[in-house]
Structure formats: structure tokens, C-alpha cells
């Protein structure tokens, strides 16, 4: 029997900007930029399909922010200079042409960078070799390097890279909103996590200290783009190189992290879990999206993880989510919202799309 999905098609206002429905494309790295980090025509076509297919918002893949240590992958797009920002303009125009809301995700890879044309080494909060192995679909091989400990100057530069990139994304590329990537094991999350951040300075120690880099980055971005541009942060427990990581202080950590983002004035918080509806910490208890809403009631909560399951997507709206974001389901169905509203079958995700390399394939563009 069809699930009543009408709640997914109600508009929502985020910081004065109307998003036409509750379905957004999740950020997905596809390494389809030029070698020097400029968005390509293939990317314009790739992103436009999601907007044409009815998504209310489209979040880009993680975009690197500076010409120092932020780049994570070869052929990843950047926002680190004007030429890179201008290259995004046709992509953004294509998204907006179909009245979808264009959100730029900006990220610094930190210790899990596996391809950076500006540097041969990596930096992170502490000199701890990251868990896991580099991802071969993004041209990686073997273990991650041990990062150098970031100095105060390098931290200040990284924050400034986020702020400058956010400014370019809005002013030059024409994006509607900024998502700061604070999740999935990248630099900001490396600072947040006790097992990757053992610093003894103001950036380390208690959770309230470890969240400071996210907050300082948020404040710098906000100062750059102003109050009227929606700015949000993506937060997760799991990491690309450590899927099962959990916050040591569970609900207390959630209170500190989401509460401090609320106090800082985040317009939205994007939470991701493998299955968004599951209890965040144990076999029972609230989900992460529920905790985000509880601790940041004024922020729009974007929830992600397995929400191509329509019944779970609808249920998520009753469990704290305001928007659901869809990753693999959108790769399989770039027109997911349209299919849903027309009661057409949703295709299953075929992981072979992402191999041998995760770049955008011509076969996808024909979908
Ligand atoms: C190919 C691919 C690339 C991804 N790249 C990013 C990224 O750049 N930034 C990010 O925050 N998450 C990234 N993710 C994670 C997705 O945003 C999402 O959290 C994940 O796919 C789970 O959601 P789903 O169940 O809807 O697929 C990526 C996922 C996939 C499949």
C-alpha cells in the first residue's frame, strides 16, 4: 500500500527563504571537477537533473576551501579562488532554473585527505594516524598518513578558508545557503572527536572545547555572509573511516553540540546516521534527529540516512526532522520527488555506479 507522502511536499521557510518541499539531495562527492578544482559541464548536467526531478533543495558535494590542506580528493571541486567560484555559477543556475534551493557544502579534509594538489602531507588536531584505509573509488590506496599537529596559525587559516569560500559561494557562484561540513571524520569532526583530538590547548579536552572549532568556523562564515544567508552545519557520529564511532557522553554530548550550535545561531543542522530513525546511542532512546530538534528547536533539522525508505522519511518528520536528505536513493532516482508524487516505482541503488572510480557516468546523465 502507498504511504501518504504529502507531508514531504509541504514547503518550509529557513531564515526567510522558502524551500518548496522537504526532500533534499544529500551531499555526495563525485570527483568530476577538472584537475584544478573547477566545476564542469558534466556536473552542471548532473546537478540539474535533481532539481528537474523535483527536489526542493540540492546540497553539493563537499567543496574544498583553501590552497593549503583542505583538499581531500583529486578532481574534487574547490571554492578556494574566484576562478573556482565562477565555475560553479552554471551549476547553481541549473539548480535554480528548476526552483530548487542550492546549498554549497564546504569542507576541509584534514587528516583524511587522500589527494591534495597543493600539499604532499596532511594536518589534523593531533598526530594520530587515522583509522581505516583510503578509498579506492576516490583514487586512494593504503593507510592514511599521520597528520602534523595544526598550529594556531594553521587553525586560523583553515577558519578563514571556510569564511572566504562561503563568501565566494554566495557572492560569485550564487548559492542560496552554506552547509559547513562538521561531520563524517573530516577536519572539524576530527577536532570534535576525543579519539582524534588529544590536544591540551583550548581546542581539546572536554566536548565543550572540542566543539569550538566548529563554532568558530560557523561564526566566521556567518560574519562573512551576513544574517540573511542560511548557514548550517552537518554533524554525525560515524565517519567515513570509522563507521561505528559513538559520542562518549551520548545525550550529554548531543546537548553540548546541538545546544551550542543553536546558541551560535545555526539556521539548520544536518544530522546523518546510517539509519536515521534508529536510537542514537543504544538499543533504545531518541534518534540523533530527535536530539538535534530537542536541543536546537529553532533550527531546521535536516536528517539523513536510509530515508529513501518513504515510510521512514515520513516518520522522520514526526521525529524532529524538517527536511529529509537522500543520497544513494537520489543517485538511483534523480527524479525521486516526482516519482513519489506520481506514485511511480522507485529504483534500487546500484553501487556499481560508483566504480571503479566515483566520477559521474554518462549513463547516469541519461537517467
Ligand atoms: C558517493 C557518495 C559520496 C558522498 N560524499 C559526501 C560528501 O561529499 N559530503 C557529505 O557530507 N556526505 C557525503 N556522503 C554521504 C551522504 O551524504 C549520505 O550521508 C549517505 O549516502 C547516507 O545517506 P543515504 O542512505 O540517503 O544514501 C556521500 C555518500 C555517497 C554515496
Amino acid at each position: 500500500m502507498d504511504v501518504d507522502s504529502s507531508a514531504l511536499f509541504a514547503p518550509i521557510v529557513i531564515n526567510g527563504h522558502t524551500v518548496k518541499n522537504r526532500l533534499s539531495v544529500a551531499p555526495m562527492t563525485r570527483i568530476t571537477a577538472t584537475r584544478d578544482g573547477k566545476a564542469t559541464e558534466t556536473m552542471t548536467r548532473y546537478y540539474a537533473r535533481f532539481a528537474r526531478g523535483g527536489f526542493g533543495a540540492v546540497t553539493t558535494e563537499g567543496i574544498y576551501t583553501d590552497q593549503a590542506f583542505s583538499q581531500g580528493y583529486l578532481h574534487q571541486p574547490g571554492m578556494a579562488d574566484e576562478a573556482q567560484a565562477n565555475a560553479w555559477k552554471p551549476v547553481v543556475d541549473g539548480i535554480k532554473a528548476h526552483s530548487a534551493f542550492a546549498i554549497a557544502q564546504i569542507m576541509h579534509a584534514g587528516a583524511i585527505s587522500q589527494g591534495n594538489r597543493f600539499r604532499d602531507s596532511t594536518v589534523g588536531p593531533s598526530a594520530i594516524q587515522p583509522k581505516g584505509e583510503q578509498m579506492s573509488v576516490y583514487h586512494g590506496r593504503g593507510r592514511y598518513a599521520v597528520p602534523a599537529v595544526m598550529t594556531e596559525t594553521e587553525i586560523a587559516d583553515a577558519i578563514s578558508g571556510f569564511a572566504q569560500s562561503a563568501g565566494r559561494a554566495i557572492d560569485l557562484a550564487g548559492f542560496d545557503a552554506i552547509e559547513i561540513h562538521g561531520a563524517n571524520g573530516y577536519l572539524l569532526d576530527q577536532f570534535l572527536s576525543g579519539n582524534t583530538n588529544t590536544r591540551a590547548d583550548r581546542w581539546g579536552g572536554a566536548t565543550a572545547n572540542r566543539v569550538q572549532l566548529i563554532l568558530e568556523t560557523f561564526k566566521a562564515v556567518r560574519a562573512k555572509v551576513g544574517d540573511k544567508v542560511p548557514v548550517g552545519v552537518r554533524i554525525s557520529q560515524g565517519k567515513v573511516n570509522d563507521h561505528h564511532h559513538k559520542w562518549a557522553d551520548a545525550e550529554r554530548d548531543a546537548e553540548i553540540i546541538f545546544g551550542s550550535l543553536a546558541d551560535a545561531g545555526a539556521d539548520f543542522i544536518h544530522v546523518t546516521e546510517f539509519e536515521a530513525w534508529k536510537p542514537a546511542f543504544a538499543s533504545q532512546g531518541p534518534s540523533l534527529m530527535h536530539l538535534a530538534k530537542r536541543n536546537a528547536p529553532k533550527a531546521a533539522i535536516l536528517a539523513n540516512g536510509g530515508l529513501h525508505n518513504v515510510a521512514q522519511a515520513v516518520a522522520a518528520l514526526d521525529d524532529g526532522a524538517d527536511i529529509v536528505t537522500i543520497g544513494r536513493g537520489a543517485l538511483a532516482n534523480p527524479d525521486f520527488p516526482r516519482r513519489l508524487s506520481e506514485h511511480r516505482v522507485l529504483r534500487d541503488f546500484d553501487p556499481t555506479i560508483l566504480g571503479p572510480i566515483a566520477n559521474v557516468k554518462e549513463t547516469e546523465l541519461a537517467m
Side-chain angles (χ1 to χ4, degrees), residues 346-362:
L346 293 165
R347 297 192 201 98
D348 288 334
F349 171 65
D350 170 9
T352 62
I353 289 179
L354 301 175
I357 296 295
N359 61 325
V360 173
K361 313 291 184 305
E362 274 300 320

Side-chain angles (χ1 to χ4, degrees), residues 139-157:
H139 302 293
R141 205 156 46 94
R143 296 212 56 188
Y144 295 94
V146 178
V149 177
M150 282 178 94
T151 63
E152 275 295 327
T153 310
E154 284 166 343
I155 292 172
D157 288 348

Side-chain angles (χ1 to χ4, degrees), residues 79-281:
M79 196 69 79
D81 60 24
E82 287 195 7
Q84 288 182 339
N86 289 330
W88 275 103
K89 183 123 187 35
V91 182
V92 177
D93 289 347
I95 294 171
K96 289 190 179 177
H98 301 283
S99 63
F101 197 64
I103 306 174
Q105 186 188 62
I106 51 176
M107 67 165 269
H108 188 306
I112 61 168
S113 169
Q114 54 175 61
N116 178 357
R117 78 193 163 94
F118 304 101
R119 293 286 188 277
D120 294 328
S121 59
T122 58
V123 292
S126 303
I128 296 169
Q129 184 169 33
K131 287 187 177 180
E133 299 224 326
Q134 299 184 23
M135 290 174 276
S136 61
V137 293
Y138 295 124
H139 302 293
R141 205 156 46 94
R143 296 212 56 188
Y144 295 94
V146 178
V149 177
M150 282 178 94
T151 63
E152 275 295 327
T153 310
E154 284 166 343
I155 292 172
D157 288 348
I159 294 171
S160 163
F162 274 100
Q164 300 305 323
S165 292
R168 289 181 202 108
I170 300 299
D171 296 341
L172 300 179
F175 278 101
D176 294 308
I178 300 294
E179 175 168 299
I180 296 166
H181 198 345
N184 297 16
Y186 295 106
L187 182 74
L188 300 184
D189 190 31
Q190 288 156 28
F191 272 79
L192 180 60
S193 302
N195 60 340
T196 46
N197 177 357
T198 56
R199 297 176 76 98
D201 61 6
R202 69 188 170 113
W203 306 106
T207 306
N209 295 3
R210 286 184 272 111
V211 77
Q212 284 306 317
L213 184 59
I214 293 179
L215 298 178
E216 291 299 319
T217 301
F218 177 84
K219 287 178 197 159
V221 167
R222 168 65 80 212
K224 184 72 191 172
V225 301
D227 287 342
K228 296 197 170 64
V229 173
V231 181
V233 179
R234 187 181 224 226
I235 295 288
S236 69
Q237 299 192 86
K239 304 163 196 324
V240 291
N241 62 327
D242 184 4
H243 294 189
H244 303 294
H245 181 84
K246 293 281 177 195
W247 294 338
D249 287 334
E251 288 198 36
R252 177 69 194 128
D253 277 344
E255 228 173 275
I256 295 167
I257 294 163
F258 297 131
S260 61
L261 283 171
D263 292 344
D267 296 306
F268 64 93
I269 299 174
H270 186 179
V271 288
T272 173
E273 291 261 273
F274 176 59
E275 289 174 320
W277 56 90
K278 293 257 172 86
F281 304 113

Side-chain angles (χ1 to χ4, degrees), residues 292-361:
K293 186 50 109 184
R294 183 195 290 169
N295 290 291
K298 290 195 192 135
I301 304 302
L302 279 58
N304 169 259
L307 295 176
H308 47 265
N309 177 323
V310 177
Q312 293 294 1
V314 172
L317 298 182
D318 286 327
D319 191 30
D322 297 293
I323 289 181
V324 301
T325 76
I326 298 174
R328 293 161 300 166
L331 295 180
N333 306 276
D335 53 352
F336 190 105
R338 180 153 298 155
R339 279 175 182 262
L340 190 57
S341 64
E342 292 171 0
H343 306 280
R344 284 157 61 205
V345 174
L346 293 165
R347 297 192 201 98
D348 288 334
F349 171 65
D350 170 9
T352 62
I353 289 179
L354 301 175
I357 296 295
N359 61 325
V360 173
K361 313 291 184 305

